[in-house]
Amino acid sequence: MTSMKSGPAAAGRTAHERRITTALFAAGLATFATMYSTQALLPSLSAAFDATPAHAALAVSLTTAFLALAIIPVSALSSRIGRTRVMMVSAIGSAVIGLLLPFSPTLEVLLTGRALQGLTLAGVPAVAMAYLAEEIGTSGLGAAMGVYIAGTSMGGLIGRVIPGFVLGLGSWRWAEAIISVAAAVCTVWFVRSLPPSRGFVARPAGIRTVLGDLALQLRHRGLLALFGLALVLVGGFVSLYNFLGYRLTQPPFELPDAVAGLVFLLYFAGTAVATVAGRLADRVGRPRVLAGTVLLMGVGLVLTVPDNLVTLIFGMAFCTAGFFGAHTVASAWVGVLATGNRGAASSLYLFSFYVGSGLVGGAVGIAYTRHGWAGLVICVAALLTVALILVSTLAFRTQHLRVDSTG
């Protein structure tokens, strides 16, 4: 009789979790297509507005930087009024702003719109990780997180490839308009698919409570290492793609904008590895998978150094696969290690993530401007070295805790 009851209950739980992963896949598509929709357009924006690469790159950096500023307040708000409500309002708001951006008369107006879009975008990434941790059991969290991260990588792919392709047919305005419409369609899909939360318990969102929740997570050394890992890995990864378009459209490659934009198809490597890495980490251990993915990024970085298009493509594929694999494992690990308010831990991880994307990704542009691709590679190599140190710290801590628990 117990098995008869558990059967329908298990089936209902499975259907609920399937709806969640489908909805968050759509959310990842919409959010990251929007966030990085201008990355493939940077050389065109430089030409259209007579802007330097560093100035044009603000169209990416401002969005992620303002998103980082909003992450913690939005996460606290979601703890009070509900995860699903915040994610829906965020997705709809960013979609509306995106539809207006192609009409920007100047670069300054476009940059202002992108900054505002960063603020509205924050609700999805700030809440999605905590929502998954609350709604899906620990045993399936890695796989579910992998689907969400796969959606973000696919969104990043769509947000870069489609505008790059449209540049061969029209201006940056048409490119931005088409990707904004695509993101709006994914937003509708997300809003219609997302089921009500079952695991959410409202918490007070006063300043003292929020600060207390954040302080609790910051006292956890394992979480601190994961926060640092997010900052350095995304900083290096975004730096590569921010300035790759300039390298491909200038000597010795001199590719057309539309052809250079096809390099973002390498995001398929990130999609594939994200889903595999989550499952593999559940089986063989997170430290091993994290170390392997960071080393894969290092191998890829070395391959990008020669002025050879084939090795450059393989190198960027390895960097992309390694980054999304590491991000999948690290983000799921945050949900496992977090104590108390998981939303606070997720918001700190994502704050670090988008600070890395906005500030580190932009700062490395100074090295690129002064020393070219070689200067950029040195900076990214230093970031990956720090990442390996942090992974070693996590591995040691995990082993130490395992020994203590068995001894």
Side-chain angles (χ1 to χ4, degrees):
M1 190 169 181
T2 302
S3 61
M4 291 178 65
K5 289 183 179 180
S6 63
R13 185 171 59 252
T14 301
H16 179 70
E17 293 180 358
R18 189 180 299 115
R19 287 184 63 194
I20 289 171
T21 54
T22 299
L24 289 186
F25 179 81
L29 283 174
T31 301
F32 278 71
T34 298
M35 193 181 307
Y36 293 111
S37 63
T38 56
Q39 196 168 50
L41 305 179
L42 296 182
S44 296
L45 292 176
S46 291
F49 297 110
D50 192 25
T52 64
H55 191 190
L58 290 174
V60 178
S61 297
L62 280 176
T63 304
T64 52
F66 273 79
L67 188 151
L69 291 175
I71 283 284
I72 293 175
V74 168
S75 178
L77 181 64
S78 77
S79 295
R80 183 167 186 171
I81 70 173
R83 314 292 190 198
T84 56
R85 184 180 303 176
V86 168
M87 286 192 289
M88 288 181 181
V89 171
S90 172
I92 293 170
S94 63
V96 171
I97 294 174
L99 294 172
L100 298 175
L101 288 179
F103 302 100
S104 302
T106 65
L107 181 58
E108 285 67 30
V109 172
L110 175 64
L111 295 179
T112 300
R114 290 287 291 168
L116 291 174
Q117 201 168 36
L119 291 175
T120 57
L121 277 171
V124 174
V127 176
M129 289 171 58
Y131 177 74
L132 280 174
E134 290 169 350
E135 299 296 314
I136 295 179
T138 303
S139 60
L141 183 58
M145 193 69 73
V147 174
Y148 169 63
I149 300 300
T152 67
S153 67
M154 281 294 294
L157 168 67
I158 292 170
R160 293 163 167 98
V161 172
I162 291 180
F165 177 77
V166 176
L167 283 177
L169 306 173
S171 69
W172 71 268
R173 297 182 188 277
W174 280 106
E176 182 65 24
I178 289 175
I179 196 60
S180 295
V181 170
V185 171
C186 289
T187 298
V188 173
W189 175 18
F190 163 62
V191 170
R192 291 177 61 86
S193 301
L194 187 68
S197 177
R198 294 178 179 177
F200 172 74
V201 177
R203 295 171 57 90
I207 295 296
R208 184 174 300 178
T209 301
V210 171
L211 293 178
D213 287 339
L214 295 176
L216 178 64
Q217 310 307 326
L218 290 172
R219 286 195 292 267
H220 195 299
R221 294 182 181 179
L223 288 175
L224 282 177
L226 289 170
F227 301 157
L229 192 65
L231 188 146
V232 297
L233 285 182
V234 75
F237 178 71
V238 169
S239 298
L240 290 169
Y241 274 103
N242 271 353
F243 302 100
L244 180 63
Y246 290 100
R247 187 184 183 193
L248 291 175
T249 56
Q250 295 170 358
F253 301 114
E254 298 184 286
L255 299 178
D257 287 336
V259 176
L262 293 177
V263 73
F264 293 110
L265 288 171
L266 296 175
Y267 263 57
F268 278 122
T271 303
V273 172
T275 54
V276 173
R279 294 188 179 94
L280 190 61
D282 290 337
R283 295 177 184 175
V284 304
R286 299 179 183 90
R288 292 181 181 179
V289 179
L290 267 179
T293 52
V294 174
L295 288 172
L296 183 62
M297 288 187 71
V299 172
L301 182 65
V302 172
L303 290 177
T304 68
V305 175
D307 287 331
N308 182 289
L309 190 58
V310 174
T311 60
L312 177 59
I313 290 173
F314 273 104
M316 290 302 299
F318 289 167
C319 287
T320 304
F323 168 73
F324 279 103
H327 178 39
T328 296
V329 177
S331 56
W333 204 349
V334 169
V336 173
L337 292 182
T339 56
N341 183 3
R342 285 193 177 100
S346 298
S347 64
L348 285 169
Y349 176 84
L350 291 170
F351 175 78
S352 301
F353 186 93
Y354 292 112
V355 165
S357 178
L359 299 185
V360 179
V364 173
I366 299 173
Y368 175 78
T369 301
R370 295 181 179 178
H371 305 289
W373 192 258
L376 183 147
V377 166
I378 291 172
C379 289
V380 175
L383 294 170
L384 293 181
T385 301
V386 174
L388 283 175
I389 294 172
L390 292 171
V391 172
S392 299
T393 302
L394 283 163
F396 175 79
R397 179 174 177 79
T398 301
Q399 183 64 30
H400 180 69
L401 290 174
R402 187 180 295 118
V403 170
D404 285 349
S405 64
T406 58

